[in-house]
Amino acid sequence: MDWAEEEFETLELGDARLNWRAVLLAERLSQKPGASIPGACQNWSETIAVYRFLGNEEIGWDDVMGAHWDATKKRIARHSVVLCSQDTTELDFNGQQMQGLGPLNYEAQRGMLLHPTYVMTPQREPLGIMNAWMWAREFKDGDARRGGLLESRRWIESYDIIAEQAGQLPETRHVFVGDRESDMLALMVRARELEHAADYLVRCQHNRALPQGDKLWERVMESEPVGAVAWSMPAGRGRKARAVRQEIRVQRVSMDDGRQGQIEVTCLIASETDPPAGGKPVVWRLLTNRVASTLEQACELIDWYRARWEIELFFLVLKEGCRVERLQLGNIQRLQTALALYMIIAWRINRLMRLGRTLPDLPADLLFEDDEWRAAFILNKKAAPKAVPALNTVIRLIAQLGGFLGRKSDGEPGAKTIWLGIRDIAVFVQGARFAREFGTTG
């Protein structure tokens, strides 16, 4: 059983042929994640069948995602704590003739928005996508307010889904993790109404007034630090890599809940003590329902929030690796069905990368077919071993095909070199299987 058959095991589209087509499409697209749909398919008749599948109005994108949601739930159940990270990203299809698109941040741009819940362990092992929202904004009518969905509701509705699943998996603590956009009093009140079935951890953007007359951030900063942490900030977005040292302050406070009552939260502020001259200090302000009074508890919350970066990596693979913004499918319904499949593929690429780092000694055949891991050796001009190799060994060989040099100083490969290498593996395996078939029948 290949990965797609296993992942879509519970898929039920009402017709066995449609189920088979979805599995085949996921397999084809995962083999060449950056290719066009015709480029990923093996022949024209297969390409036509794929377009027919995507255009089937009886199949919704959530129908396609259903089996993955089931598989994700099984993976979640194996862990005591999972982080449910959320964010919204724009998908830019400007210039394409596609029905159903709406404006993006600029009214003249055309595209849609995607808001998934990306689940991982505290060690950053990707477990899957728990739920997602996809929509196109309505156009403004002059200076009138934009109609349609109140977009801030997606955070609260997603929390409801997380809390519901947390009730179904009582042995697994679910933690809702969000950026500044999720800093909403309504979310915290909703969590209280549900008796904090799921914890929340959000980046604080509002310096709220407290009932005593002072402000939230000033209250926290007036307290004594519970300790300090040091970590290395990687290079990126025009900045150089550097060491960061932060002092940690934590306070449990009561805030007005907007309903003539109060709500208790923990506010944590991690502030850099010695930023470089002319550099912007790294400051994190977090809000959570969890009690944190020690440095160990505070560091755990910081580590959980830092793991939120994984959803940004997921978006990067979706856009740059799978190139979903280049899809030309005519209307938004077909696009959403394709995006459902590509989200699962982007998750799998990230999962391969992380498992190669965190569980390097796993047998490679848990995630790759025998032809695939043997191809990784052959294409790197190495003899394939008789015994199944370790996962990390195969991941590094695949990444080397995508440009990873594999020197001692290079660390572990990233998602980009893995998705590029997977493409070469797929082409080789396809050719080898054709050769075997031709040799047998010819």
Side-chain angles (χ1 to χ4, degrees):
M1 181 183 292
D2 63 30
W3 80 268
E5 288 179 289
E6 185 175 354
E7 192 65 22
F8 287 90
E9 186 176 7
T10 64
L11 184 66
E12 185 48 66
L13 299 178
D15 186 318
R17 293 169 298 179
L18 292 175
N19 295 343
W20 176 82
R21 181 63 62 192
V23 172
L24 179 64
L25 179 53
E27 186 68 28
R28 292 286 186 265
L29 296 178
S30 70
Q31 290 169 349
K32 300 178 182 179
S36 65
I37 288 176
C41 294
Q42 293 185 355
N43 51 56
W44 182 241
S45 62
E46 192 172 278
T47 301
I48 293 296
V50 166
Y51 282 124
R52 190 178 296 122
F53 175 85
L54 295 176
N56 189 329
E57 295 182 357
E58 300 299 318
I59 300 174
W61 68 267
D62 48 346
D63 297 322
V64 174
M65 288 289 292
H68 174 72
W69 290 337
D70 292 340
T72 298
K73 188 175 180 179
K74 289 181 180 179
R75 286 185 286 267
I76 288 172
R78 302 184 192 124
H79 299 274
S80 58
V81 178
V82 295
L83 309 179
C84 306
S85 181
Q86 296 187 48
D87 204 355
T88 305
T89 191
E90 291 186 342
L91 298 176
D92 188 347
F93 297 99
N94 206 37
Q96 292 198 30
Q97 299 299 315
M98 192 180 305
Q99 296 177 0
L101 298 178
L104 298 176
N105 275 350
Y106 296 100
E107 198 70 15
Q109 283 182 297
R110 296 293 177 266
M112 59 180 292
L113 293 100
L114 171 66
H115 182 95
T117 298
Y118 189 70
V119 187
M120 73 202 84
T121 67
Q123 294 75 36
R124 304 193 183 193
E125 174 192 340
L127 301 178
I129 299 136
M130 183 189 294
N131 70 284
W133 305 93
M134 288 190 263
W135 73 98
R137 288 178 176 142
E138 293 187 8
F139 293 95
K140 282 187 175 181
D141 184 9
D143 295 330
R145 291 187 63 181
R146 191 186 309 280
L149 174 76
L150 182 62
E151 294 180 4
S152 61
R153 286 293 306 172
R154 63 187 179 268
W155 297 95
I156 299 173
E157 290 172 358
S158 295
Y159 177 87
D160 285 346
I161 293 172
I162 295 169
E164 180 181 2
Q165 180 169 287
Q168 297 167 357
L169 300 174
E171 301 301 315
T172 303
R173 192 65 185 170
H174 291 58
V175 184
F176 170 108
V177 183
D179 65 2
R180 292 180 180 91
E181 195 178 354
S182 64
D183 178 15
M184 297 183 294
L185 192 58
L187 173 65
M188 301 174 214
V189 171
R190 180 59 176 161
R192 183 182 64 184
E193 290 173 350
L194 298 179
E195 299 180 342
H196 298 109
D199 292 325
Y200 61 81
L201 176 65
V202 302
R203 186 84 175 262
C204 180
Q205 70 168 330
H206 302 299
N207 188 15
R208 294 177 172 87
L210 299 177
Q212 293 80 12
D214 54 343
K215 289 293 191 75
L216 175 61
W217 298 349
E218 286 73 16
R219 169 84 67 87
V220 177
M221 291 303 294
E222 287 171 358
S223 64
E224 289 296 317
V226 297
V229 293
W231 50 281
S232 297
M233 183 168 63
R237 296 184 180 180
R239 67 167 185 259
K240 295 181 179 179
R242 64 182 177 88
V244 176
R245 183 182 183 277
Q246 292 175 307
E247 286 187 338
I248 312 299
R249 292 174 171 82
V250 185
Q251 283 285 294
R252 189 74 175 171
V253 299
S254 293
M255 305 187 306
D256 290 333
D257 65 1
R259 301 183 178 186
Q260 298 183 337
Q262 294 187 0
I263 187 168
E264 282 198 352
V265 299
T266 297
C267 182
L268 180 156
I269 298 181
S271 51
E272 188 173 8
T273 54
D274 299 302
K280 185 177 180 180
V282 179
V283 179
W284 292 330
R285 302 179 181 94
L286 306 177
L287 287 176
T288 180
N289 63 291
R290 295 176 68 95
V291 175
S293 56
T294 67
L295 179 61
E296 181 181 5
Q297 292 169 331
C299 287
E300 180 178 62
L301 293 174
I302 291 173
D303 287 342
W304 289 357
Y305 184 77
R306 288 179 63 195
R308 200 198 72 83
W309 168 250
E310 294 301 306
I311 196 171
E312 303 293 347
L313 181 59
F314 169 74
F315 289 149
L316 175 68
V317 174
L318 191 65
K319 294 180 181 182
E320 301 298 326
C322 300
R323 298 184 177 183
V324 296
E325 291 173 314
R326 297 188 183 186
L327 290 171
Q328 299 182 35
L329 294 171
N331 66 55
I332 199 169
Q333 180 265 325
R334 296 174 188 167
L335 178 61
Q336 289 175 331
T337 303
L339 283 172
L341 290 164
Y342 276 114
M343 281 195 286
I344 298 169
I345 292 165
W347 157 78
R348 180 175 181 260
I349 291 171
N350 280 349
R351 181 169 172 79
L352 291 174
M353 179 193 69
R354 285 299 176 198
L355 287 179
R357 298 180 183 188
T358 59
L359 296 171
D361 297 325
L362 278 178
D365 61 356
L366 290 180
L367 293 165
F368 293 102
E369 296 181 59
D370 289 348
D371 283 347
E372 292 172 332
W373 67 254
R374 288 193 179 104
F377 283 89
I378 294 169
L379 289 174
N380 279 284
K381 298 180 173 59
K382 296 178 182 291
K386 294 182 179 179
V388 177
L391 177 63
N392 182 259
T393 300
V394 175
I395 291 291
R396 291 177 70 89
L397 289 172
I398 291 173
Q400 286 174 27
L401 299 173
F404 177 64
L405 297 179
R407 300 168 299 190
K408 289 184 178 180
S409 60
D410 289 332
E412 296 299 327
K416 183 175 182 178
T417 55
I418 291 172
W419 82 57
L420 292 174
I422 284 175
R423 176 192 59 192
D424 292 348
I425 293 290
V427 172
F428 181 89
V429 169
Q430 180 181 332
R433 288 174 176 171
F434 279 162
R436 283 201 300 265
E437 182 179 353
F438 181 78
T440 302
T441 61

